[in-house]
Amino acid sequence: MFTDETLDIIGAESTWRKSHQQTQESRSCQTLPVDTAEVETQARDVSDNSTQTQDQISQTLSLDRDISDFPGLLDFLHKVEDIVIKELVKNSKSHAFDGFRVNWEDQTESVSCMYRLQHVEAQERGLQVTGVSWNCTGSVIGCGFGRVDDGDWSNEKAYVCTWNLDRQNLNPKRPDVIIDVPTPVMCLCFHPVRPSVVAGGLYSGEVVVWDTSRSQDLILAQTGMSADTHREPVFQVSWVPGARRGEFMVLSAGSGGRVLLWTVDGAEAKLILSSGYALVQQQVPQCGAASRTRGSTTIGVTSVALSPWDLDTFLVGSEGGLVLKCSFSSETVSAVPPDGESVTLRAPVQFSFSPLGGPVHSVHFSPFHRNLFVSVGTDGLAHLHTVLQPRPLLSLRVSDSYVFGVRWSPTRPLVFAAATGQGLVQMFDLGRRSLRPAATVDQNTSGQPTYCLEFNPKHTNLMAVGNADGSVNIWQLSAELTEQGAKETAVLEQLANEVVD
Amino acid sequence: MAEVEDTLKRIQSINGVIGTIVVNAEGIPIRSTLDNSTSVQYAGLLHQLTMKARGTVRDIDPQNDLSFLRIRSKKHEIMVSTGGL
């Protein structure tokens, strides 16, 4: 009776919904057929070639080969011997070139001040320039600010500033790089090979190495305060060649009587003590002067000079006026009681020269003669010594006040310059008869002392002088002071061979 | 051969002579009173200069040849005698 009714499905079109199918368009494209071609080649002839360099030794070995290998040699020598001997004899008697001077460049007749570099903040605080140094390329001058006249322990902040003199827009009043240092800087030395690395010794006894090419955190390595470091101000830092080629160590010497050699550990940013020397009064061989103090007193070091000829020798000038010849390879253990240092300190002194009356401010080896050096101190004289005997060869009166620095000229064997306490730099020429200075360069510091001076190693006519009023003067020297004349080395040799009675 | 040594000794002993170097046709030093590296340096440099000078002389007059070359500097004088006499 009841059945399910099935109805058809009824649908209604939507009025508002439209089909989402958009209009479609079809496009296709096709590239033109690509032309390809195949070609084959085959080498018919094959040849192999290789090169190899040969050791240069083979060239020099020919000097040891037997003469019989060169058959024509005797004939050749017969041919030329007469004419060569004739010319040589004529030459040794000739006056043709006497007084003949050659000038390839323009001669500067006088000494002129090129720049007067200052750091305004340091000058306001009355800091003095205690060390200047040129970098190895000769274009950057760096100076360290500190105090020399203060007897107190000081913790005032100081600076190390560098100027690049080869730049166009050099502003003498604004240094290119200013490094803030927590304690006064006593000495400065640029690395001999890397142009941006500079080492400095501080008043607190620390030694710091900066790298001015970095943009942040310029400290490359420092000693920090440990049992190894100096306890007294460091008066001299230098770079010495290390064990391997191309490696350099820092040598620092301070008034605590220690001379220490540090290796730079760049990874840890530390300077690691590699060897050390301690100087005590008892281990100095006396040369006739009675020692006034008894007991083991340390000898405070105020200056160090490294010999450019003999890598083992170095000279030490002390606070008490002693000038001592020391050796890096000395094996005697120092008499100083060990104080927790990591290496045993050795006694390096081999020979002692006749002492000066006061502290020796500067010692410098001559770059032209292996035995000569000059030393200056508070007695106002410059003493020219030879390493072979204790008494000086020559003593020249430089000034009536203290003399703070002395440097031999890098181009003229007989010329050296000394920085005095009156603000003058006196340049002496040993080739002249008179004992008066060849040139006096006034630093315009109104009587304040001049503490340090350095010749530029590359542009040898430039000299940098650091003054107590916080300025560094760059002087361009005249041609007379920088051009080497004939026979100067011979005169120097003669001077060195004079023996004082 | 003693004669060669004698000749060289005679030249070296003249007043003012610092060093003597004998160089072969390729510019390699065969006898010298200076040390190895200096000899090699001088021989190399002077060989080039001598060849240039010789070329100059012969360009000016092909029948001519270089016999002696002297270079005077501020500090020393270098005298080169070639075999072309």
Side-chain angles (χ1 to χ4, degrees):
Chain A
M1 258 194 313
F2 292 113
T3 54
D4 280 327
E5 184 70 44
T6 47
L7 294 169
D8 292 318
I9 298 176
I10 301 178
E13 290 270 344
S14 158
T15 52
W16 58 274
R17 254 187 223 254
K18 294 225 180 24
S19 160
H20 278 265
Q21 212 174 17
Q22 306 288 358
T23 47
Q24 261 187 347
E25 263 189 43
S26 248
R27 285 223 189 270
S28 63
C29 63
Q30 183 185 342
T31 54
L32 290 171
V34 177
D35 287 326
T36 58
E38 273 186 36
V39 177
E40 267 183 25
T41 63
Q42 182 184 357
R44 276 200 336 178
D45 299 310
V46 177
S47 75
D48 252 318
N49 232 327
S50 58
T51 64
Q52 182 189 343
T53 54
Q54 240 185 348
D55 274 331
Q56 290 291 342
I57 306 172
S58 63
Q59 240 192 357
T60 52
L61 274 181
S62 63
L63 283 173
D64 300 326
R65 273 158 57 183
D66 202 14
I67 299 184
S68 52
D69 286 348
F70 304 105
L73 182 58
L74 190 57
D75 294 327
F76 166 70
L77 281 179
H78 273 312
K79 260 199 298 186
V80 296
E81 180 193 358
D82 288 331
I83 181 171
V84 169
I85 292 188
K86 198 171 69 158
E87 290 295 328
L88 283 171
V89 170
K90 246 196 324 186
N91 213 15
S92 64
K93 296 199 206 128
S94 141
H95 292 287
F97 284 99
D98 283 353
F100 178 64
R101 294 267 156 147
V102 171
N103 294 318
W104 281 89
E105 295 155 351
D106 283 333
Q107 300 291 301
T108 38
E109 287 301 317
S110 61
V111 178
S112 61
C113 183
M114 281 178 70
Y115 301 106
R116 209 182 145 78
L117 305 169
Q118 295 160 344
H119 181 41
V120 181
E121 283 181 23
Q123 272 192 319
E124 277 168 13
R125 291 173 42 202
L127 288 175
Q128 303 160 336
V129 177
T130 49
V132 281
S133 178
W134 291 96
N135 79 339
C136 60
T137 60
S139 51
V140 175
I141 177 78
C143 73
F145 287 95
R147 270 193 207 288
V148 180
D149 52 2
D150 213 357
D152 252 350
W153 190 262
S154 79
N155 260 331
E156 68 180 307
K157 290 191 184 307
Y159 308 97
V160 169
C161 301
T162 69
W163 284 264
N164 187 334
L165 299 177
D166 288 340
R167 285 213 187 133
Q168 302 283 29
N169 50 350
L170 169 71
N171 181 352
K173 295 226 188 303
R174 219 167 47 82
D176 293 327
V177 176
I178 306 174
I179 308 176
D180 287 318
V181 185
T183 43
V185 178
M186 303 305 292
C187 52
L188 205 66
C189 187
F190 265 99
H191 195 278
V193 175
R194 292 170 62 183
S196 60
V197 175
V198 56
L202 306 184
Y203 195 80
S204 59
E206 284 184 55
V207 176
V208 188
V209 177
W210 294 281
D211 185 351
T212 54
S213 63
R214 290 196 190 179
S215 46
Q216 302 218 359
D217 188 22
L218 297 171
I219 296 181
L220 183 65
Q222 59 181 351
T223 54
M225 293 306 286
S226 68
D228 288 340
T229 53
H230 296 274
R231 305 289 160 74
E232 306 265 330
V234 175
F235 278 107
Q236 183 106 15
V237 272
S238 283
W239 291 91
V240 295
R244 290 194 296 255
R245 250 183 89 86
E247 201 185 86
F248 286 90
M249 296 198 282
V250 181
L251 177 143
S252 65
S255 54
R258 301 255 193 289
V259 174
L260 302 173
L261 283 168
W262 309 85
T263 43
V264 179
D265 186 352
E268 298 266 319
K270 283 168 79 90
L271 285 170
I272 302 178
L273 185 62
S274 81
S275 54
Y277 305 89
L279 293 100
V280 272
Q281 194 81 332
Q282 332 153 280
Q283 284 179 313
V284 174
Q286 294 301 326
C287 64
S291 78
R292 283 179 218 100
T293 49
R294 278 178 295 162
S296 129
T297 40
T298 52
I299 301 176
V301 175
T302 47
S303 64
V304 171
L306 298 163
S307 167
W309 305 85
D310 181 7
L311 292 173
D312 189 42
T313 313
F314 65 102
L315 289 174
V316 159
S318 79
E319 281 171 346
L322 293 169
V323 179
L324 306 166
K325 173 171 174 284
C326 309
S327 151
F328 280 121
S329 59
S330 140
E331 292 292 328
T332 24
V333 178
S334 162
V336 166
D339 202 7
E341 293 98 2
S342 51
V343 296
T344 21
L345 299 174
R346 293 178 274 168
V349 183
Q350 289 180 331
F351 190 70
S352 139
F353 300 96
S354 66
L356 274 64
V360 179
H361 283 127
S362 187
V363 195
H364 198 223
F365 262 107
S366 165
F368 289 94
H369 196 286
R370 67 179 296 142
N371 288 342
L372 289 178
F373 67 90
V374 65
S375 64
V376 289
T378 50
D379 54 4
L381 301 170
H383 301 273
L384 179 68
H385 274 100
T386 168
V387 168
L388 306 170
Q389 65 175 35
R391 296 194 49 203
L393 289 172
L394 202 60
S395 297
L396 294 165
R397 169 144 289 273
V398 175
S399 97
D400 295 324
S401 70
Y402 304 162
V403 184
F404 288 105
V406 71
R407 285 283 178 265
W408 287 95
S409 159
T411 47
R412 287 200 61 195
L414 296 170
V415 170
F416 65 88
T420 69
Q422 292 158 332
L424 306 168
V425 170
Q426 311 272 27
M427 302 196 61
F428 287 88
D429 184 351
L430 296 171
R432 292 198 184 181
R433 298 296 150 125
S434 86
L435 295 176
R436 300 191 57 216
T440 304
V441 184
D442 191 347
Q443 304 300 315
N444 286 329
T445 55
S446 49
Q448 290 202 37
T450 313
Y451 286 128
C452 43
L453 72 121
E454 282 291 340
F455 285 95
N456 189 325
K458 283 282 180 316
H459 308 294
T460 47
N461 59 342
L462 293 181
M463 182 174 74
V465 183
N467 306 315
D469 65 353
S471 64
V472 176
N473 292 340
I474 310 285
W475 296 89
Q476 187 176 37
L477 299 173
S478 67
E480 201 190 297
L481 291 168
T482 52
E483 302 258 318
Q484 195 178 50
K487 301 193 184 126
E488 281 196 29
T489 339
V491 176
L492 192 69
E493 183 77 39
Q494 214 179 11
L495 202 60
N497 290 337
E498 286 170 10
V499 176
V500 174
D501 293 317
Chain B
M1 296 216 240
E3 279 197 55
V4 172
E5 302 291 355
D6 277 344
T7 314
L8 289 172
K9 222 187 309 192
R10 260 200 298 269
I11 296 179
Q12 179 67 23
S13 62
I14 294 179
N15 182 28
V17 173
I18 298 175
T20 313
I21 308 174
V22 181
V23 177
N24 74 355
E26 279 103 41
I28 300 173
I30 49 179
R31 268 290 174 276
S32 168
T33 61
L34 303 166
D35 56 284
N36 277 358
S37 51
T38 317
S39 306
V40 169
Q41 186 187 26
Y42 269 96
L45 293 168
L46 289 169
H47 183 65
Q48 294 173 35
L49 188 63
T50 314
M51 287 300 118
K52 190 83 182 161
R54 188 158 183 255
T56 310
V57 169
R58 293 186 69 143
D59 280 349
I60 295 172
D61 179 7
Q63 312 295 327
N64 209 352
D65 201 354
L66 179 72
S67 66
F68 213 92
L69 178 65
R70 293 168 70 160
I71 305 166
R72 191 168 181 107
S73 71
K74 277 195 205 171
K75 297 184 190 176
H76 315 291
E77 177 161 358
I78 303 173
M79 299 171 121
V80 181
S81 169
T82 71
L85 280 166

